[in-house]
Amino acid sequence: MPDSTSCCHATGGYCQRCDLLVGLPGLHVTGVHRDDAGLRVEVESRPPVVMGCPACGVVAHAHGRQRVVLIDAPCFTAPVKLWWRKRRWLCPEPSCPVTSFMEQDPEVARPRALLTSRATSWAIGQMRRENASVQGLARQLGCAWKTLWRAVRPVLEAAAADETRFAGATSLGVDEHVVRHEALLYRMEVGDLHWLAVVAAK
Ligand SMILES: [Zn+2]
Ligand SMILES: [Zn+2]
């Protein structure tokens, strides 16, 4: 098609429009695949000019990539898996306790997280504002409810510990709803699985 205006014909570079669509600053789309399970978006970062060891600061050596699969927020009615080709690095300093390390970006996902940071935020927003169930959200994300719960629990616990959040509240409404929903989630966590099934089915 000589009149094709495909956004992805640029060779040797990244596609600005695909990057804009996916919206993960610092990461570039290298591939997209869609099947019955949902969307798979492959991303990588641009190679840094120089990478310092996080422990000693010595210039590290590139040591290949490792694919990390993350559950991202659903998009275009489909669950999304993010395939992030993370860069690995070696620290050449013999006295450094860090021999190798992997690219990290907590804006995208916390180390060892299974969900992206925005997927976690999205799920918590759905719980708080839309009264969504963990089971229903997990279905939309294409993961097990336990996987989602492990991601949201520490965030909810941190929010619950921040008592100042409710200081000065004079009326019940959205805040009351948030408190009730979080209390519900805590009850789920203590292990009443039968009761959980009832909650999840609502
Ligand atoms: Zn493109
Ligand atoms: Zn080092």
Side-chain angles (χ1 to χ4, degrees):
M1 285 210 307
D3 294 336
S4 168
T5 51
S6 161
C7 73
C8 296
H9 55 69
T11 52
Y14 298 117
C15 171
Q16 282 185 353
R17 277 179 275 194
C18 287
D19 290 349
L20 184 65
L21 201 58
V22 171
L24 290 167
L27 294 181
H28 302 280
V29 177
T30 58
V32 179
H33 179 80
R34 186 166 186 150
D35 60 21
D36 291 344
L39 277 167
R40 181 180 86 208
V41 181
E42 297 165 11
V43 294
E44 67 179 25
S45 63
R46 211 177 272 282
V49 176
V50 63
M51 172 60 83
C53 169
C56 71
V58 165
V59 174
H61 299 165
H63 189 59
R65 319 279 192 102
Q66 184 171 333
R67 188 176 71 209
V68 172
V69 178
L70 294 161
I71 297 155
D72 206 350
C75 179
F76 303 131
T77 74
V80 178
K81 292 280 191 300
L82 195 69
W83 283 21
W84 183 1
R85 286 183 76 219
K86 285 191 168 191
R87 299 175 187 280
R88 287 196 71 86
W89 304 89
L90 294 178
C91 177
E93 171 54 48
S95 64
C96 179
V98 172
T99 50
S100 75
F101 60 97
M102 198 151 63
E103 174 182 12
Q104 297 292 354
D105 185 349
E107 298 271 306
V108 178
R110 295 186 310 171
R112 290 178 295 283
L114 297 178
L115 269 67
T116 62
S117 299
R118 68 181 180 184
T120 305
S121 302
W122 171 81
I124 289 171
Q126 292 291 307
M127 289 174 191
R128 288 181 165 168
R129 291 191 299 273
E130 313 295 340
N131 198 26
S133 70
V134 174
Q135 190 77 26
L137 292 170
R139 208 163 26 237
Q140 292 183 68
L141 289 163
C143 69
W145 73 267
K146 281 186 178 178
T147 304
L148 173 58
W149 177 239
R150 283 191 198 111
V152 300
R153 186 182 62 185
V155 182
L156 294 179
E157 282 176 348
D162 181 14
E163 293 175 10
T164 58
R165 205 161 52 108
F166 298 111
T170 54
S171 63
L172 296 177
V174 173
D175 280 357
E176 178 201 36
H177 172 76
V178 169
V179 171
R180 283 187 180 166
H181 204 97
E182 289 177 5
L184 183 76
L185 292 167
Y186 284 120
R187 282 162 63 192
M188 288 162 62
E189 176 63 3
V190 300
D192 186 342
L193 290 177
H194 174 71
W195 191 77
L196 166 66
V198 174
V199 172
K202 74 175 177 153

